[in-house]
Amino acid sequence: MESFFALMHIVMTIITFTRANETVCTLQGQPVYPQLWKDGDIIIGGVFSFHSSWEIRQITYSVTPPPLNCISLNYRDFQYVQSMLFAVEEINNSSTLLPGVSLGYKIYDTCGSMAMAVRVTMALANGHENTSSAGPCTKHAYVQTILGDTTSSACMAMAKTIGPFKLPMISHYATCECLSDKTKYPSFLRTITSDYYQSRALAELVRHFGWTWVGAIRTDDDYGNNGMATFTKMAEQMGICLEYSLPFFRTYPEDKVIRIIEQIKSSTSRVIVGFLVHWDLEVLLHKFVEYNITGYQWVGTEGWISDSVIASMDKHHILQGAVGLAIPKTQVTGLKEFILDIKPLKSSGSVIFTELWEALFQCKYSTKNDSRFTTPCTGKEELSQMQNTFTDMSLMPIFSNVYKGVYAVAHTLHNLLGCKEKCASKKQLDPLTFLTHLQKVRFKTKDGEEVYFDENGEAVAKYEVINWQPSKKKHDEFVTVGLYDASLPVKDCLAVNMDSIVWANNVTKVPVSVCSESCPPGTRKAVKKGKPICCYDCIPCTEGEISNTTDSVTCLRCHQDFWSNLQKDGCVEKETEFLSFEEIMGILLTMISIVGAFITMIIAVIFFKYKNTPIVKANNSELSFLLLFSLMLCFLCSLTFIGRPTEWSCMLRHTAFGITFVLCISCVLGKTVVVLMAFRATIPGSNVMKWFGPPQQRLSVLGFTLIQVLICVLWLTISPPFPFKNLNYIKEKIILECDVGSSIGFWAVLGYIGLLALLCFILAFLARKLPDKFNEAKFITFSMLIFCAVWIAFIPAYVSSPGKFTVAVEIFAILASSFGLLFCIFLPKCYVILLKPEKNSKKHMMGKMASN
């Protein structure tokens, strides 16, 4: 590395020494000369493509290549040149703008070659004469400003060349976004909008028409590649997918073009975005005709959408119905007439004038050595009798851009030269000073249009939306159907009159170009694996989720109190479920409860009527009536479990159930103890009955019941039951139920009931073999078996039953155990009282007892 730097130091020393000893600045290579020129106090340079191509020659690399032989006159650039000359003539003839200062020009031909564009740019910057100098070869730029070129690629090469020297350059048609980078192109300005805005506007236009699946073809140069890159980025942000994006250049070989054709034919998209220059589209049109590429909806850029040459070539209506963006129409008074008057060109450049005249009128000034033209030129031919590209004024907005570029230079000079009635100086300004003021210039044209450059040295973005519509003329008519204005808010930038658009193939509706059909409400988009985001399946929303918009990417979950409808496009209030008095199960359980209470009352009436009979007296009538009362309460408390749960009903149902059942079991327990004590009292010397007489029986029932009351009070105080919405068991329903609050309190109530029932069962089981007539123990034992069986079965059924069936199971357990007690204890006695009255006597009972 050190040896490399040493070598470079030696080389630089030699170069410095050589330059220091030079006295003449010598031009390297062959000089290039302008096609058109005019002297003036201040010179403006022009770079245009008078020719669109050049002859291809074999290069041997053994001799210096000859100069380019340019071919194929480019009428469009002649029109741009005429626009420049028109502006110069107007300014020179003006008494208010640059008075006393004349503008001259030197205009070069690039032949469509970037290499030539750079070469002529250097010629404009340096001149082409040898200069004597005692010092380094440095001097001011040869021209004040350079106007041109038409293409973005040429402008990039030119701007990079003169950028370090701060020599201003103004383009009328180079739209590549890349040229907005002031670090690379510090002296570049343009009177046209950057493709950044055009690409964004194109994406907005495509989205406006609902096209989410499109193809794209671009010119394979800086204009097309950069513009398409921006369009692709914007399109992705707007949910638009490109099925393909194909580069094309007019010099592509046949096999490459065929691959492009095959790609288009095999595609499913019906819209093609053409980010092309007109030269490339001309070539493509011939290929589309050859391979029958028709029926597509085209979207175009300003590079071709308003080009009448392209429209004239489209004999097979391949582009009919195309929509795209064009520079807004403008008028420059007198410019059209000046462009069509080409005779003054002869004084600026006779060679190029002669070539243009011969090409326009298909004649020859001298036909001796050229057999192509048989008609001699007279010089009196009139353009008014011709109709070709040169006479077409459809690109007047671009002509106006050239015109505005010249006037921007003139107004900047006017300000810097201190011009009033007369300019204080006629000297050319240094490039940096001029560039700084040129970027800030602001003026109005004679037709009232305001001209200025933004912070990137560009014109303000405005486009017309153009539609190709059938016409009786030689080509489709360019109809303005909308406007895009980047200075407006984003939502208001684009305005399109949909009713005035004629679509491709003369269809009446907007063509459809989507990879997948829109997903209706109730579904969501799911991207297909390995496909762009525009290719998706429509997946129905799951239960409880909805989508109420078309092409929704997600389904929204309904609020917990709502559920999705059948179409999954709206949330409806969930159905609430609880055991109500109106449904069949609720009605049946209510009827059974009332029947049970009614039977209990009937039995109580029977016992009251026959309260003095032996069988009633023998079975402790006081406890019997209390037991019947508690059973009636048990039947009735089941009704508190039916109906919409409320705060009070939830507390009442569990506490009422617990207390009434304890009262009931306490009575049964008392009756069982009475039976045992009664037969113990028959043993000689036993006085146990005085310890368990009626007062003790009442106190035992009261004591057992108070314990349950205390448990319930603690339960209700610490964590009482409360109404609860169960949203998890059945997702589409709200189950209204009573949460027990404290599980300990709930199971303590049930456990206490179970403990008393177990104790009662054991005592009744021990008394089962006592004499029949006075023995209720067998019936109590059987009733307790039913009671315990019901409540043991209740536990798993209660835990596993869903929704309102949980409540139904609890009611069923209450009713079943109540009926078991009622029937097992009281039904046999009613049978004797009502159907066997002869057995309801003291004599019969004593006789039976004696026999036992």
Side-chain angles (χ1 to χ4, degrees):
M1 183 62 72
E2 290 180 0
S3 60
F4 172 79
F5 282 118
L7 178 61
M8 289 299 297
H9 178 71
I10 293 170
V11 171
M12 293 302 295
T13 303
I14 294 172
I15 293 172
T16 304
F17 178 80
T18 303
R19 285 184 175 176
N21 286 274
E22 284 182 348
T23 57
V24 177
C25 295
T26 305
L27 180 70
Q28 302 297 314
Q30 295 295 320
V32 288
Y33 297 98
Q35 296 290 336
L36 299 170
W37 66 92
K38 181 180 180 180
D39 290 330
D41 298 321
I42 296 176
I43 304 298
I44 299 176
V47 179
F48 298 93
S49 297
F50 290 101
H51 299 83
S52 58
S53 187
W54 63 91
E55 286 185 356
I56 305 298
R57 297 176 180 176
Q58 294 295 329
I59 300 176
T60 62
Y61 299 100
S62 59
V63 295
T64 303
L68 289 180
N69 185 22
C70 301
I71 57 175
S72 301
L73 275 182
N74 180 12
Y75 293 150
R76 286 300 186 201
D77 276 51
F78 271 102
Q79 292 175 313
Y80 303 149
V81 169
Q82 283 285 76
S83 302
M84 176 180 172
L85 301 186
F86 175 69
V88 170
E89 291 300 318
E90 270 196 349
I91 294 165
N92 286 338
N93 294 328
S94 172
S95 59
T96 56
L97 186 60
L98 291 178
V101 177
S102 63
L103 295 180
Y105 51 81
K106 292 189 181 297
I107 302 175
Y108 285 81
D109 180 14
T110 67
C111 299
S113 165
M114 278 194 291
M116 180 61 75
V118 173
R119 190 175 180 189
V120 300
T121 300
M122 293 303 296
L124 286 169
N126 298 320
H128 53 75
E129 69 278 3
N130 294 333
T131 306
S132 298
S133 175
C137 293
T138 58
K139 62 174 183 176
H140 285 308
Y142 189 60
V143 294
Q144 187 71 76
T145 307
I146 297 176
L147 268 67
D149 187 7
T150 303
T151 65
S152 295
S153 295
C155 285
M156 289 171 66
M158 294 164 60
K160 274 187 178 179
T161 302
I162 61 174
F165 309 114
K166 301 298 185 289
L167 178 60
M169 171 182 173
I170 304 174
S171 174
H172 55 281
Y173 212 1
T175 57
C176 180
E177 180 189 353
C178 53
L179 288 163
S180 299
D181 187 351
K182 291 306 166 190
T183 59
K184 292 182 178 179
Y185 314 103
S187 64
F188 178 81
L189 297 95
R190 50 186 162 188
T191 51
I192 195 169
T193 306
S194 164
D195 277 337
Y196 169 80
Y197 298 101
Q198 179 172 219
S199 299
R200 184 180 186 87
L202 277 178
E204 291 272 6
L205 193 64
V206 171
R207 181 176 66 173
H208 183 81
F209 295 134
W211 299 324
T212 58
W213 187 238
V214 300
I217 305 177
R218 66 185 187 274
T219 294
D220 192 7
D221 63 3
D222 296 296
Y223 167 76
N225 293 329
N226 284 282
M228 186 53 66
T230 304
F231 171 79
T232 303
K233 180 181 177 181
M234 296 295 178
E236 287 177 355
Q237 294 175 1
M238 298 177 187
I240 301 165
C241 299
L242 269 66
E243 184 179 10
Y244 57 84
S245 180
L246 306 173
F248 174 79
F249 201 72
R250 50 192 173 276
T251 58
Y252 270 9
E254 184 70 16
D255 60 328
K256 212 168 184 180
V257 177
I258 290 175
R259 284 198 295 270
I260 294 174
I261 298 296
E262 290 174 349
Q263 173 69 64
I264 296 173
K265 279 190 169 183
S266 63
S267 66
T268 57
S269 58
R270 306 308 302 167
V271 174
I272 301 176
V273 178
F275 221 107
L276 299 158
V277 297
H278 62 93
W279 292 329
D280 293 329
L281 189 54
E282 287 177 12
V283 177
L284 274 177
L285 272 179
H286 292 299
K287 294 298 179 182
F288 288 161
V289 172
E290 182 180 348
Y291 290 95
N292 194 29
I293 304 295
T294 58
Y296 290 89
Q297 175 65 51
W298 282 81
V299 180
T301 63
E302 39 71 35
W304 64 268
I305 196 66
S306 59
D307 195 307
S308 59
V309 176
I310 296 293
S312 300
M313 291 176 59
D314 187 24
K315 303 297 184 183
H316 294 79
H317 307 294
I318 292 171
L319 302 176
Q320 189 179 87
V323 292
L325 302 173
I327 301 168
K329 295 182 180 67
T330 57
Q331 290 295 327
V332 179
T333 306
L335 178 57
K336 177 180 177 181
E337 292 73 17
F338 187 91
I339 290 175
L340 297 179
D341 183 12
I342 62 173
K343 289 181 180 179
L345 277 177
K346 189 172 184 179
S347 61
S348 300
S350 59
V351 176
I352 195 66
F353 166 78
T354 301
E355 187 178 356
L356 175 62
W357 190 276
E358 291 177 345
L360 282 173
F361 298 108
Q362 297 292 295
C363 63
K364 192 71 174 175
Y365 277 104
S366 176
T367 59
K368 293 180 181 179
N369 301 319
D370 196 331
S371 59
R372 290 178 302 166
F373 304 111
T374 57
T375 306
C377 296
T378 64
K380 296 181 180 181
E381 290 83 0
E382 292 293 336
L383 273 175
S384 59
Q385 301 172 1
M386 306 291 295
Q387 192 169 5
N388 53 28
T389 306
F390 190 81
T391 60
D392 174 51
M393 294 292 127
S394 60
L395 293 186
M396 181 60 73
I398 312 300
F399 308 158
S400 174
N401 286 347
V402 179
Y403 177 84
K404 287 184 285 189
V406 178
Y407 264 86
V409 173
H411 278 279
T412 306
L413 287 171
H414 186 87
N415 297 333
L416 287 173
L417 296 177
C419 299
K420 293 180 181 178
E421 293 183 0
K422 198 169 183 179
C423 295
S425 173
K426 296 184 180 181
K427 290 183 179 180
Q428 187 168 301
L429 301 167
D430 73 275
L432 181 57
T433 302
F434 184 76
L435 174 62
T436 304
H437 287 78
L438 179 62
Q439 291 169 334
K440 300 175 182 178
V441 73
R442 194 179 192 110
F443 63 94
K444 283 188 177 182
T445 66
K446 63 181 181 181
D447 294 293
E449 183 180 357
E450 189 171 22
V451 180
Y452 62 94
F453 299 105
D454 65 11
E455 64 275 8
N456 293 321
E458 301 164 357
V460 178
K462 285 186 180 180
Y463 297 99
E464 289 181 347
V465 181
I466 299 298
N467 178 218
W468 285 29
Q469 297 187 3
S471 172
K472 295 179 180 179
K473 300 178 182 178
K474 289 188 176 181
H475 57 76
D476 288 346
E477 185 179 0
F478 306 139
V479 179
T480 301
V481 294
L483 182 68
Y484 181 89
D485 188 347
S487 63
L488 298 175
V490 175
K491 60 184 180 65
D492 300 325
C493 283
L494 181 65
V496 180
N497 183 1
M498 299 291 288
D499 295 333
S500 62
I501 298 178
V502 175
W503 302 105
N505 303 318
N506 291 319
V507 295
T508 56
K509 294 183 179 179
V510 181
V512 177
S513 185
V514 294
C515 182
S516 301
E517 292 295 330
S518 294
C519 289
T523 62
R524 64 174 178 85
K525 296 195 294 187
V527 178
K528 294 180 180 178
K529 190 175 181 180
K531 296 283 187 178
I533 60 171
C534 300
C535 301
Y536 48 81
D537 294 315
C538 295
I539 307 298
C541 293
T542 58
E543 296 292 332
E545 294 184 341
I546 66 157
S547 65
N548 52 12
T549 58
T550 302
D551 286 335
S552 177
V553 294
T554 57
C555 293
L556 303 176
R557 181 162 292 279
C558 293
H559 186 268
Q560 62 178 5
D561 290 343
F562 291 82
W563 195 249
S564 55
N565 57 14
L566 291 176
Q567 294 77 25
K568 308 291 178 60
D569 58 0
C571 291
V572 294
E573 195 170 356
K574 282 184 180 179
E575 178 186 348
T576 55
E577 182 179 276
F578 59 90
L579 188 61
S580 67
F581 289 102
E582 288 80 17
E583 60 182 297
I584 295 176
M585 186 164 56
I587 293 171
L588 288 175
L589 291 174
T590 301
M591 290 177 63
I592 293 171
S593 299
I594 294 173
V595 168
F598 184 69
I599 293 173
T600 304
M601 290 177 62
I602 292 174
I603 292 174
V605 170
I606 293 171
F607 266 55
F608 182 77
K609 184 177 180 180
Y610 296 97
K611 63 182 177 179
N612 295 319
T613 60
I615 197 168
V616 175
K617 287 183 175 182
N619 286 285
N620 195 334
S621 59
E622 187 175 342
L623 284 180
S624 295
F625 283 115
L626 188 57
L627 176 59
L628 285 169
F629 174 72
S630 65
L631 282 172
M632 187 172 66
L633 291 179
C634 287
F635 282 117
L636 293 177
C637 84
S638 65
L639 297 176
T640 63
F641 287 82
I642 305 173
R644 179 183 286 271
T646 63
E647 187 175 348
W648 285 104
S649 68
C650 285
M651 290 190 290
L652 178 63
R653 65 172 60 170
H654 288 102
T655 53
F657 153 69
I659 292 170
T660 55
F661 257 79
V662 165
L663 177 62
C664 179
I665 300 300
S666 299
C667 292
V668 175
L669 183 61
K671 290 174 71 67
T672 305
V673 173
V674 166
V675 172
L676 285 172
M677 294 300 106
F679 283 94
R680 290 285 294 176
T682 60
I683 301 173
S686 175
N687 60 348
V688 294
M689 283 304 295
K690 73 177 182 179
W691 299 107
F692 203 74
Q696 288 80 11
Q697 294 168 23
R698 288 191 289 271
L699 284 174
S700 66
V701 172
L702 180 62
F704 286 131
T705 306
L706 283 176
I707 292 173
Q708 183 73 309
V709 170
L710 179 61
I711 294 173
C712 290
V713 169
L714 290 173
W715 182 16
L716 295 178
T717 303
I718 297 170
S719 180
F722 58 89
F724 170 69
K725 292 180 179 181
N726 190 335
L727 304 170
N728 299 321
Y729 197 87
I730 304 176
K731 292 184 177 180
E732 66 271 19
K733 292 182 180 180
I734 299 175
I735 300 174
L736 299 179
E737 57 187 21
C738 286
D739 191 286
V740 295
S742 171
S743 298
I744 295 174
F746 175 70
W747 291 110
V749 168
L750 290 183
Y752 183 63
I753 295 171
L755 179 64
L756 291 181
L758 181 63
L759 180 62
C760 186
F761 172 75
I762 292 171
L763 293 177
F765 182 78
L766 293 175
R768 72 191 186 282
K769 292 185 179 180
L770 294 176
D772 290 342
K773 294 301 177 184
F774 296 92
N775 190 6
E776 286 184 304
K778 289 183 180 179
F779 301 120
I780 292 173
T781 302
F782 189 63
S783 67
M784 286 297 104
L785 275 173
I786 295 174
F787 185 91
C788 291
V790 167
W791 286 101
I792 289 171
F794 160 78
I795 295 173
Y798 179 83
V799 172
S800 61
S801 296
K804 61 184 178 182
F805 296 103
T806 304
V807 179
V809 166
E810 196 166 356
I811 295 173
F812 176 78
I814 293 170
L815 294 176
S817 54
S818 300
F819 274 113
L821 289 171
L822 182 66
F823 290 156
C824 290
I825 294 175
F826 293 101
L827 202 59
K829 297 177 180 58
C830 291
Y831 173 76
V832 171
I833 292 171
L834 298 175
L835 300 178
K836 300 290 183 178
E838 67 277 6
K839 294 182 179 182
N840 189 12
S841 64
K842 189 173 183 181
K843 179 181 177 180
H844 180 268
M845 295 179 70
M846 291 304 292
K848 185 69 175 177
M849 182 178 177
S851 65
N852 289 335

